[in-house]
Amino acid sequence: MMFHLRLAVATLAWIFGTITLAQTTPGAVIENSRNGRQVQLTLRSGPHPFAGDYPVTVFLPPNYDTDTAAYPVFYTFDAFDAHLEHDVLVQENLIHPAIFVAIANKTSNSRSYDLTPSWSGTNTGGLEVFADLITRELKAYLDTHFRTRPEAASTGVIGISLGGLAACWLGYTHPGTFGMAGCHEPSLWWNGNQLLNRLQGDTTPKFATRFWIMAADQEYVSMWQNAKIGANALKQRGWIEGQDVAFCQAHNYPHNWEAVHSQARSMLHFFLRISPPELVGAELTNCHGPQLVPLRPTELGGAAYAYLDLHFRHDLRTTAINPLLTVADPRVVSLASPVLGQLVPAGSGWTTVSTTYDGFRAVIDVQGYSSGSASQPPTRPSPPAIIEQPASTTVAAGGNTTLAVAATGEGTLTYQWRRDGIAIVGATSAALTLNHVTVAQAGDYMAVVTNLSGSTASQVARLNITPLGPRVLAQPVSRSAAAGESVTMAMAATGDSPLAYQWFRNGHSITGATSATLNLAAITPADAGIYDCAVSAAGETLSRPAVLGVLPSAGARTAGTITTRPEWQDISHPNGNTYDQFLLTGAAGTLRPIPTRLRACRSSTRTRASSKSRCPVPARSRSYSTTPPARWPRPSTTRAGSST
């Protein structure tokens, strides 16, 4: 009786002591040293059940001392060194840099007190006290003495195990302070699944905190199951997978820091990414390790778990939270828990579990045994055999082509086409049709054919794309302006390769005029002439010529000799005339047509033989005097000194 009385008194003393601590003003932050990018701090804990202060290490981003930017901040429990993977991602230009604040534990007993949200045994239940200390002292100090972004969206917490529980709790219950929560192998079983039940049963609207939840497949069953159930609870309440919440299963790891480090790269990209990840493949795996294929429910304690791993470019991955799984033959296994991907044995034989995620199809074999015995497994069907290989081909850009494979095998055959080793989204039939191909689609193509027994890859077919020459979309337009004004002539073109431009005036290239737009500042009578542009990319194409007329000062003249080019023929001008060649005479910009007897003249490259007899000058001549005889006709629409 006396023992129980003492226990009750001790329990009350602990509870009231905890309440008193929650109302106590914490201590202060002391800076001890700076060594390059590392700053050593001491966080005075104030009244606390366990003596001592918290050692804190601040890891600054690589360019902190050379720029003026403000950075997001992550507070990490157990002194998690996420900054190591962070530096690699920053160097690869995949994430925005951040500051990491690693808070070390006082003692193991202190850790149990600081990282648990409620009282559930000796030395527990002090998370709110710890959170108040971090917010009121440590965060305030960092926001004052360092270039931080103090808003909740840029403030995160990261932890493992009890630290993962603490990160999830703070992100969920303090969204105004912590907008990112990295919950590695969180102890959601704490205090009778207290937080997990809240995630599932809470009816409050979705808020802005983003959650990364991770588990290892070799740890306690309740740990990895609760982690996925918690992620699914958030998704069902409105958090968007891949944007607001992500789940990741670490394969072949127990409950340790190595499991966390294996997924730190993907976690940091989720929170700090510069651009969204690019999905390159989806793979159904055994939850207990991808090497355990096929799934054998009988050997796995009467159940197996099929998880869908998502692979992204740059060695990033997550695990789909609740993919839609389909069992081909429910007589072999049945799907007991869609969220956990749990399969239970139903009979002997082989079947498959499959799903499609964002255009990628994934299939895994399942082997069942009769009478629950693994001593006499059923005969496995034969893998697919390729009977017709895809053929290499060459097609012009903009054209269409089809690659095809033919295969035979037992059961249902599924197909997945790959280009340069990467699965093509939606390419899941025996024939791959590509319409309006571009140069970027050239590469090595192959098909992977799968049935209950396994997969067989076809031979590689090389697809070559012949680029098209450039195509002019918009022609330059004839212009006129007074001397001293600025004039812009422009054209537009497209092509399958980078385009190069060169402008010409009167057949001569203009130095430095190598863009689609030609800017002429303060034009003079000497700028008058015929302009065109050559655009090249896997060939060359000329624009139509355009005329620039210049109105000079009174009395000035622009008479001169213009050497024409073969492509300058039948040029329509706004004045209503069609010109084979041009003479700029009289007041600048006045266009006078060449008389009929000269218009018939063609260079040897032109074909109008019937008119050669009328040429008064040799056909090879392309230069004419710019002083017109009086008998030359003048177009009725052209006046001396006009701006045409």
Side-chain angles (χ1 to χ4, degrees):
M1 181 69 178
M2 181 62 67
F3 171 79
H4 291 293
L5 179 60
R6 289 175 180 174
L7 179 61
V9 172
T11 301
L12 290 174
W14 168 256
I15 294 174
F16 285 110
T18 301
I19 296 174
T20 302
L21 284 172
Q23 298 172 345
T24 302
T25 302
V29 176
I30 301 173
E31 181 172 324
N32 300 316
S33 64
R34 294 199 182 203
N35 182 14
R37 293 168 49 198
Q38 293 189 22
V39 182
Q40 300 297 330
L41 306 176
T42 296
L43 175 61
R44 305 300 301 271
S45 63
H48 197 283
F50 307 97
D53 298 321
Y54 298 94
V56 177
T57 304
V58 179
F59 298 94
L60 301 175
N63 296 325
Y64 185 85
D65 291 333
T66 59
D67 62 27
T68 59
Y71 297 94
V73 180
F74 285 91
Y75 296 87
T76 68
F77 304 134
D78 300 323
F80 174 39
D81 53 357
H83 64 285
L84 299 177
E85 194 66 48
H86 161 270
D87 286 2
V88 177
L89 289 166
V90 169
Q91 187 175 13
E92 295 176 10
N93 196 34
L94 294 177
I95 66 171
H96 298 287
I99 296 172
F100 289 85
V101 183
I103 309 171
N105 302 311
K106 292 181 175 183
T107 65
S108 59
N109 288 333
S110 170
R111 180 177 183 272
S112 300
Y113 173 76
D114 290 330
L115 301 181
T116 54
S118 56
W119 188 79
S120 183
T122 305
N123 301 335
T124 62
L127 177 58
E128 287 299 331
V129 178
F130 190 40
D132 182 71
L133 179 65
I134 294 173
T135 303
R136 191 136 53 101
E137 291 296 329
L138 186 57
K139 185 178 186 303
Y141 182 88
L142 267 292
D143 293 341
T144 302
H145 293 80
F146 295 87
R147 297 195 310 275
T148 68
R149 295 173 56 183
E151 66 275 10
S154 300
T155 305
V157 283
I158 301 173
I160 177 177
S161 194
L162 289 180
L165 169 68
C168 194
W169 178 277
L170 294 178
Y172 191 79
T173 61
H174 296 265
T177 302
F178 303 104
M180 297 177 286
C183 316
H184 294 276
E185 304 182 283
S187 301
L188 296 179
W189 51 266
W190 180 261
N191 201 10
N193 295 341
Q194 178 185 9
L195 179 55
L196 181 63
N197 293 336
R198 186 167 177 179
L199 295 178
Q200 292 180 289
D202 205 338
T203 59
T204 58
K206 169 187 175 292
F207 44 86
T209 301
R210 302 165 62 204
F211 293 88
W212 170 275
I213 303 177
M214 168 264 173
D217 60 7
Q218 302 299 318
E219 64 178 341
Y220 311 108
V221 173
S222 62
M223 296 285 284
W224 59 259
Q225 289 191 353
N226 286 347
K228 195 175 189 188
I229 292 172
N232 183 67
L234 291 172
K235 181 179 178 181
Q236 297 303 312
R237 289 177 50 199
W239 272 261
I240 300 173
E241 184 173 2
Q243 179 176 318
D244 302 320
V245 62
F247 172 74
C248 191
Q249 183 87 348
H251 296 298
N252 304 322
Y253 285 100
H255 185 78
N256 59 19
W257 276 114
E258 284 70 22
V260 177
H261 289 154
S262 72
Q263 308 306 318
R265 178 180 177 88
S266 298
M267 177 202 68
L268 292 176
H269 188 270
F270 173 74
F271 286 130
L272 300 171
R273 64 196 182 199
I274 293 175
S275 58
E278 179 184 352
L279 184 66
V280 296
E283 179 185 17
L284 273 171
T285 66
N286 190 327
C287 167
H288 297 285
Q291 79 282 3
L292 299 177
V293 175
L295 285 176
R296 297 184 175 95
T298 305
E299 294 181 5
L300 297 172
Y305 298 87
Y307 273 25
L308 180 64
D309 289 335
L310 306 177
H311 300 278
F312 302 89
R313 198 175 296 278
H314 304 298
D315 194 27
L316 305 169
R317 64 175 294 268
T318 61
T319 303
I321 294 176
N322 58 349
L324 180 61
L325 302 178
T326 300
V327 177
D329 189 350
R331 295 171 300 178
V332 178
V333 293
S334 60
L335 185 62
S337 172
V339 173
L340 296 177
Q342 182 181 11
L343 304 168
V344 295
S348 178
W350 286 82
T351 187
T352 60
V353 174
S354 62
T355 187
T356 299
Y357 189 97
D358 200 13
F360 289 92
R361 179 173 173 77
V363 180
I364 190 171
D365 292 345
V366 181
Q367 185 180 23
Y369 302 121
S370 59
S371 303
S373 172
S375 59
Q376 295 180 344
T379 302
R380 183 171 185 150
S382 301
I386 306 294
I387 59 176
E388 183 178 338
Q389 301 286 352
S392 298
T393 186
T394 299
V395 63
N400 305 327
T401 189
T402 297
L403 300 172
V405 65
T408 183
E410 300 180 53
T412 301
L413 302 183
T414 61
Y415 302 84
Q416 177 62 65
W417 284 89
R418 296 176 177 269
R419 178 170 66 86
D420 297 333
I422 299 175
I424 304 172
V425 176
T428 56
S429 62
L432 173 64
T433 299
L434 303 173
N435 296 320
H436 310 295
V437 296
T438 65
V439 173
Q441 290 176 281
D444 293 329
Y445 287 75
M446 62 178 294
V448 178
V449 187
T450 303
N451 69 354
L452 293 176
S453 177
S455 299
T456 303
S458 73
Q459 296 178 359
V460 172
R462 178 68 183 177
L463 176 61
N464 300 301
I465 309 296
T466 303
L468 295 177
R471 298 173 293 283
V472 177
L473 302 178
Q475 302 286 354
V477 178
S478 296
R479 302 289 304 277
S480 62
E485 294 182 347
S486 297
V487 172
T488 297
M489 305 192 78
M491 58 94 66
T494 184
D496 297 318
S497 302
L499 302 179
Y501 301 87
Q502 178 60 60
W503 284 87
F504 294 83
R505 185 177 70 85
N506 298 337
H508 301 286
S509 61
I510 304 173
T511 302
T514 55
S515 65
T517 300
L518 174 64
N519 296 310
L520 301 173
I523 61 174
T524 67
D527 291 315
I530 304 171
Y531 288 77
D532 62 353
C533 184
V535 55
S536 57
E540 182 181 273
T541 299
L542 288 173
S543 73
R544 295 175 187 167
V547 178
L548 173 62
V550 181
L551 293 174
S553 305
R557 307 184 66 82
T558 60
T561 299
I562 297 177
T563 302
T564 63
R565 291 164 57 167
E567 59 271 9
W568 295 348
Q569 52 184 309
D570 298 331
I571 302 171
S572 297
H573 192 267
N575 64 13
N577 292 287
T578 299
Y579 296 87
D580 282 339
Q581 298 182 19
F582 290 86
L583 300 176
L584 302 181
T585 64
T590 300
L591 301 178
R592 301 184 184 280
I594 299 174
T596 303
R597 61 189 182 86
L598 290 183
R599 289 189 57 187
C601 297
R602 306 285 180 176
S603 70
S604 59
T605 59
R606 305 181 186 179
T607 56
R608 191 178 292 178
S610 61
S611 64
K612 288 184 178 180
S613 61
R614 300 196 299 270
C615 289
V617 295
R620 66 179 179 274
S621 174
R622 298 183 187 176
S623 301
Y624 303 96
S625 170
T626 58
T627 303
R631 64 179 182 277
W632 285 11
R634 297 170 180 250
S636 59
T637 57
T638 304
R639 294 179 292 114
S642 71
S643 60
T644 58

